[in-house]
Amino acid sequence: MSADIIDGKTFALALRDRIAAQVALFTAAAGRAPGLAVVLVGEDPASAVYVRNKGKATTAAGMASHEHRLAADVSEADLLALIDCLNRDEGVDGILVQLPLPSQINDTRVIMAIDPDKDVDGFHPVNVGRIATGLDGFVPCTPQGCLMLLEDRLGDLSGLDAVVIGRSNIVGKPMAQLLIGANATVTVAHSRTRDLASIVHRADIVVAAVGQPEMIKGDWIKPGATVIDVGINRTAEGLVGDVEFNGAASVAAAITPVPGGVGPMTIACLLRNTLIAAYRRAGVAYDKGAF
């Protein structure tokens, strides 16, 4: 068996095209474009590139991009004051503060300060609670992208055995909640899980998000499984995922590559969340199924 490659890049580009079409409809109905504010503290090179890419994608979709770059030594009070201004800005529908933050700033306080209805990262506890209880809330962008790829590939996920490897607040935990919401049977595995190989081997769906290069071995994968590799790790051989790709691809039915799999979905889903926030805040009806 040779796995089909799940092309996240192509899927994300199509999603961004659909979002752009909906942005035009929103702008015509509301009299303004949706607005996304991104806050970058310091000059971390990877974060700077990511913020720049977000800005380009936002503008390309027809949205208003508001970038705020603060010095690495900015005080927590000053950052919180900026967030308060963005919360009250009627032209801003989504607020994203790029993590990680410098040591003098408490990440949790910053996340808690963002208006939950503008929390397009989906990190605020109010949105976490909404998702956990089946209410409409903002889902973190990476797990939302993973779910979209899975449903595009498999259709109905009801009854499928899924394992999520990793329990972070950003990917692992919300991914598990989304899969539960899709009626899959979900196991969350982590660093203290016993006999991880056997747990992975029984899963129809494997979502790997541990940040360990090729930790999930190819012979752990159940024949015919679908593998979503969230990991992106720099090694001497180049970028690799959390899954041993060649071994897994020889038995799985489908697998995401690294790069070009999950990564492109993250920014696309950020744009999607921002558009949804704009529609909700403006009280304009929309068809969520259209994008």
Side-chain angles (χ1 to χ4, degrees):
M1 179 185 293
S2 180
D4 292 337
I5 303 301
I6 299 174
D7 187 348
K9 184 175 181 180
T10 297
F11 189 101
L13 287 172
L15 175 58
R16 285 167 63 168
D17 284 345
R18 296 196 302 274
I19 290 167
Q22 290 293 315
V23 166
L25 294 176
F26 172 86
T27 302
R32 66 172 183 86
L36 173 64
V38 179
V39 180
L40 175 64
V41 180
E43 296 295 335
D44 177 75
S47 292
V49 169
Y50 195 36
V51 166
R52 185 163 61 249
N53 289 340
K54 287 174 181 174
K56 289 179 180 177
T58 302
T59 302
M63 298 182 183
S65 177
H66 308 278
E67 285 190 17
H68 299 268
R69 294 175 179 261
L70 305 178
D73 61 355
V74 69
S75 69
E76 182 179 288
D78 285 346
L79 175 55
L80 292 176
L82 171 60
I83 292 171
D84 182 58
C85 288
L86 296 174
N87 283 340
R88 291 183 282 107
D89 188 336
E90 289 302 316
V92 171
D93 299 292
I95 301 170
L96 183 153
V97 179
Q98 185 66 39
L99 301 177
L101 293 167
S103 59
Q104 78 272 15
I105 298 174
N106 183 295
D107 290 14
T108 301
R109 285 196 200 102
V110 170
I111 291 168
M112 292 283 287
I114 298 171
D115 180 346
D117 292 329
K118 294 188 176 188
D119 168 40
V120 289
D121 254 341
F123 295 164
H124 195 288
V126 167
N127 282 316
V128 174
R130 286 169 176 167
I131 299 306
T133 54
L135 301 175
D136 277 338
F138 291 113
V139 180
C141 302
T142 299
Q144 179 65 64
C146 293
L147 183 70
M148 294 178 83
L149 292 176
L150 283 168
E151 291 182 332
D152 181 68
R153 170 73 195 184
L154 299 172
D156 186 6
L157 307 185
S158 295
L160 295 181
D161 195 337
V163 61
V164 179
I165 309 157
R167 52 179 170 173
S168 72
N169 291 333
I170 295 173
V171 180
K173 290 177 183 176
M175 187 76 247
Q177 292 291 348
L178 289 176
L179 288 166
I180 290 169
N183 298 313
T185 301
V186 184
T187 299
V188 178
H190 47 77
S191 59
R192 298 189 183 183
T193 298
R194 296 178 182 176
D195 197 7
L196 179 59
S198 67
I199 291 172
V200 173
H201 195 66
R202 71 171 186 246
D204 304 304
I205 296 168
V206 177
V207 181
V210 288
Q212 297 289 333
E214 299 183 326
M215 173 183 166
I216 312 306
K217 304 307 177 188
D219 59 7
W220 296 6
I221 304 299
K222 174 183 178 179
T226 299
V227 179
I228 304 292
D229 192 348
V230 181
I232 183 160
N233 308 284
R234 296 187 183 278
T235 70
E237 290 74 38
L239 293 178
V240 299
D242 291 347
V243 178
E244 188 180 58
F245 182 84
N246 289 336
S250 69
V251 293
I255 187 170
T256 56
V258 176
V262 173
M265 293 297 295
T266 300
I267 289 180
C269 288
L270 172 65
L271 300 177
R272 184 175 184 270
N273 277 353
T274 302
L275 178 56
I276 291 170
Y279 270 122
R280 289 176 179 170
R281 294 186 63 254
V284 176
Y286 67 99
D287 177 9
K288 194 172 181 180
F291 59 97

